[in-house]
Amino acid sequence: MIQPSKEKKIFYLLCLYHLILWTIVPYLSNKNLPLDIIEALAWGQDFDLGYNKHPPLSAWIPGLLFKIFANKDWIYYLLSQVFIVISFVFLWKVSSIFLKNRTEILLSVISLEGIAFFSFETPQFNVNICQIPLWIITIYFFWKCTKNNKITDWIFLGIFSALGFLTKYIFAYLLLSLFAYLIFIFFKKKKFNFNCLYALLIFILLITPHLQWLKQNDFVTIQYALKRGGLNDFNIYNHLLNPVKFIISQLTILLPFLLLIYSLVKRLKSKFFLKDEKFIFLIFTFLLPFILILITTLITGSKIKTMWMIPFYSMIGIFFIYLFQNQINLKKIRNFNVLLIIFLILSPTLYSLRSIYFDSRTRYEGKKIAAQIEKEWKLVSRNNISNVGFSEWYAGNLSYHLSNRPKVFLDEKDDFYKKTAVIISKDIGPNLCNKKNINIKNIMYKKISDHDVCFIF
C-alpha cells in the first residue's frame, strides 16, 4: 500500500476517504443529527459573543452554514470532515519539518486512524473537532515564528491562537506550553524576542469582546466548565482517583494507535538528548499539554472528560514516528497496512451499528416529531411558530426541522411569550403549560409522540 513516490497519492486518498465515506456513513445511518451539532445550531442562530457552555466560534460556523444550506444533514457531517482534512494538510506541513522522507511523513499522519477521535468520533462536529486544525496550525506558525521570526508569522500565530481559545478554553494548555517554550528559548539564548508582542497584541484584541461578554454574563462558561469538571463536589479521594482514571482512559484510547506504531518498529529503543532541538520542540508541543492536564487533575481533583483531549493527540503521530524513526522497519510495512485497512473498515462499520441500534440521539425521530407538531399547530393558529424553548436538544431539534426555523430560547424570558411559541420537553406532563403569572392569551397542552408540548398562540 505504502510505496516510494506514492505517498502523496495515498495522502489524497486518505483525505477523500474522510470527505466522502465519513460524510455518507453518518448521513445514511443516522435518522437525526447528533446532540452536539443540534446544540451548536441552536446557539448559532444568533452570532453572540459567547454561549452558556462554550466560547462562540464552534457555534458560529454551523450557524453560518445553516443560513446558506438550511437543514441538510449531510452538510454538517461534511463540515466535520473538512476540519479533519485541514488538520491532515497542516499535519503534513508540520511533519515535513521534523521527518526525513515522505514515507515517515505519511505514516505520522495516517497512523492517526488508529485513534477514534480522528475517525469514529468525527461525524459529530463540536468544540473538540473545531479545535483540531486550529491546534495544529497554531503549532505550525509557532515553529515558523521561532525559526524565521517574521512579523507576518507572529500575526498569524496571534490570529489562530485567538480562534483556538474562542473555540474552547482548554486551548489555553497549548498556549501555556508554547509560552513555556519561549521562556526556554529566552534562557537558552539570553535574548528577548520583541516580535512575539505582535502575536500577543493580536490575541488580546481578538478575545477581548468575548471576555467582556463573559463578564457581563456572570462568567457562565467558566461556571459550566467547573461543574463539568466536578469541582463543585469536593472529595479528597478525587485527587488520586481522577488522575488514575484519566491515565487509564487515555491509554485505552491509544491502544489501536500504539499497535500500529509497534507493527512498524524493530525494537522499542530510541536515543534522543536534550540537544536535539526538534525533539525538545515536540516535548513542549505534545507532551507538556498532557503533563499540565495531569497536574491540573492532581491538584484540583477534577474529572477530565476523554473527549476533551481530542486536539491534544494532534501531534502524537509526528512525535512517535520521530521518536522511533531510526527503528522503523519498512519490511514490516505489510503488518501496518493490514492493521490500517482493518481500522479503516471497522471504524465506519462500528459507527453505523452504534447509530442504528444503540445511540438514542441519532435514532431520534426529530423530523417526524416536528411534522406532527406543525400539523397540530395549524389546527389552532394560522401564524408560524416564532419561538421554541427551552432545551438545546428538544427545542433545538424542533427549530432545525421546522420550515420557518423559529428562534430557540434556552432560558425562560419574557420575550419568549411576546410571540407565538412552543415549549417542548418530556416527562413533565400538563404542568409544562402552568404559566399563571404570565399574561398569555391562548395556551394549550398536547401529548405528541411521547413528548410534552405546550402551544402558546
Side-chain angles (χ1 to χ4, degrees):
M1 182 177 176
I2 299 176
Q3 300 176 17
S5 78
K6 292 187 177 180
E7 293 87 354
K8 273 282 187 178
K9 292 181 181 177
I10 296 170
F11 175 76
Y12 295 142
L13 285 173
L14 175 68
C15 294
L16 285 174
Y17 164 83
H18 274 271
L19 289 172
I20 297 173
L21 190 74
W22 278 110
T23 299
I24 292 174
V25 166
Y27 179 70
L28 295 178
S29 63
N30 296 353
K31 290 182 179 179
N32 203 88
L33 289 175
L35 169 62
D36 286 356
I37 304 178
I38 291 293
E39 191 174 55
L41 286 165
W43 294 332
Q45 280 187 298
D46 298 315
F47 293 93
D48 295 336
L49 292 171
Y51 302 97
N52 62 336
K53 293 183 181 179
H54 298 295
L57 187 62
S58 65
W60 286 356
I61 297 169
L64 178 62
L65 285 180
F66 188 93
K67 293 185 181 299
I68 301 170
F69 299 101
N71 56 352
K72 294 180 175 59
D73 290 6
W74 66 270
I75 287 293
Y76 307 101
Y77 298 129
L78 178 61
L79 172 63
S80 286
Q81 303 315 314
V82 168
F83 270 66
I84 294 298
V85 168
I86 293 172
S87 303
F88 286 164
V89 169
F90 275 90
L91 270 178
W92 184 281
K93 288 178 176 290
V94 175
S95 187
S96 300
I97 296 168
F98 293 90
L99 300 172
K100 298 175 182 177
N101 57 62
R102 283 190 172 184
T103 299
E104 292 178 352
I105 294 168
L106 176 62
L107 289 171
S108 71
V109 178
I110 206 168
S111 60
L112 292 181
E113 294 297 324
I115 301 177
F117 295 150
F118 293 87
S119 54
F120 188 83
E121 299 292 346
T122 57
Q124 181 163 235
F125 183 82
N126 54 28
V127 289
N128 304 306
I129 298 297
C130 188
Q131 265 198 334
I132 297 174
L134 298 171
W135 191 284
I136 300 163
I137 294 170
T138 297
I139 292 173
Y140 172 71
F141 277 107
F142 184 73
W143 172 265
K144 291 187 70 178
C145 289
T146 56
K147 300 307 294 181
N148 304 325
N149 199 30
K150 290 183 179 179
I151 292 175
T152 52
D153 290 334
W154 285 106
I155 291 172
F156 278 120
L157 176 63
I159 291 171
F160 286 106
S161 297
L163 292 177
F165 185 80
L166 290 173
T167 301
K168 195 174 184 180
Y169 300 139
I170 204 168
F171 199 87
Y173 284 92
L174 174 63
L175 299 181
L176 285 172
S177 301
L178 301 185
F179 179 69
Y181 186 76
L182 285 178
I183 294 174
F184 171 79
I185 291 175
F186 171 75
F187 281 107
K188 184 179 179 182
K189 297 184 177 180
K190 308 296 182 182
K191 183 180 178 182
F192 181 76
N193 189 340
F194 286 94
N195 281 353
C196 68
L197 297 177
Y198 287 102
L200 181 61
L201 179 61
I202 295 294
F203 177 80
I204 292 172
L205 285 174
L206 291 178
I207 70 168
T208 295
H210 171 68
L211 296 180
Q212 291 175 337
W213 175 92
L214 198 61
K215 183 180 179 181
Q216 293 167 0
N217 289 270
D218 300 321
F219 301 94
V220 61
T221 53
I222 303 294
Q223 293 179 35
Y224 170 76
L226 294 175
K227 183 179 179 180
R228 285 281 283 171
L231 291 179
N232 295 338
D233 303 317
F234 176 77
N235 187 330
I236 190 67
Y237 297 107
N238 288 340
H239 294 267
L240 177 62
L241 291 176
N242 286 335
V244 170
K245 289 179 181 178
F246 170 75
I247 293 171
I248 292 172
S249 66
Q250 304 315 303
L251 290 174
T252 303
I253 285 291
L254 285 178
L255 280 177
F257 168 82
L258 294 174
L259 191 60
L260 281 172
I261 297 298
Y262 181 74
S263 70
L264 284 173
V265 298
K266 300 173 186 176
R267 57 185 182 273
L268 297 176
K269 185 178 180 182
S270 181
K271 293 182 180 180
F272 283 100
F273 304 96
L274 291 180
K275 292 182 180 179
D276 187 333
E277 182 183 13
K278 291 181 178 179
F279 188 60
I280 292 171
F281 184 86
L282 290 174
I283 288 175
F284 274 92
T285 54
F286 170 66
L287 281 184
L288 186 55
F290 276 98
I291 294 170
L292 293 175
I293 282 281
L294 186 58
I295 291 172
T296 299
T297 186
L298 278 168
I299 294 174
T300 65
S302 57
K303 301 174 186 175
I304 305 299
K305 305 293 182 182
T306 306
M307 285 289 289
W308 296 356
M309 303 305 297
I310 290 178
F312 286 69
Y313 289 106
S314 303
M315 295 285 288
I316 192 170
I318 298 174
F319 180 84
F320 274 90
I321 296 298
Y322 188 83
L323 185 65
F324 296 115
Q325 60 183 310
N326 297 325
Q327 298 299 325
I328 291 176
N329 183 2
L330 292 180
K331 293 180 180 179
K332 296 175 67 177
I333 202 73
R334 179 183 175 85
N335 297 334
F336 179 90
N337 290 340
V338 170
L339 281 173
L340 179 63
I341 291 170
I342 290 173
F343 293 150
L344 290 175
I345 295 172
L346 189 62
S347 189
T349 302
L350 291 176
Y351 179 88
S352 298
L353 291 173
R354 184 188 70 170
S355 295
I356 295 170
Y357 297 106
F358 303 106
D359 193 329
S360 61
R361 301 290 189 181
T362 55
R363 290 187 294 123
Y364 184 71
E365 298 280 1
K367 189 173 183 179
K368 179 182 176 182
I369 292 163
Q372 291 175 341
I373 290 174
E374 193 164 32
K375 182 180 178 181
E376 292 289 337
W377 175 268
K378 287 179 179 178
L379 297 176
V380 297
S381 177
R382 295 181 179 179
N383 300 317
N384 286 326
I385 301 169
S386 298
N387 301 326
V388 293
F390 294 107
S391 73
E392 286 96 343
W393 179 246
Y394 296 117
N397 260 300
L398 183 57
S399 174
Y400 176 76
H401 290 291
L402 290 174
S403 56
N404 65 303
R405 181 64 163 158
K407 178 177 172 57
V408 179
F409 279 71
L410 301 180
D411 300 303
E412 194 167 358
K413 300 176 181 177
D414 290 341
D415 288 347
F416 179 82
Y417 299 99
K418 291 178 180 178
K419 296 181 180 180
T420 55
V422 166
I423 306 172
I424 180 171
S425 189
K426 289 187 82 171
D427 303 323
I428 295 178
N431 286 333
L432 186 67
C433 289
N434 186 13
K435 308 293 176 186
K436 294 179 180 179
N437 298 324
I438 299 173
N439 184 21
I440 299 172
K441 291 182 179 180
N442 298 297
I443 189 165
M444 180 186 297
Y445 170 79
K446 290 273 187 178
K447 189 76 170 180
I448 300 174
S449 292
D450 201 33
H451 289 67
D452 299 306
V453 184
C454 184
F455 291 170
I456 300 163
F457 54 98

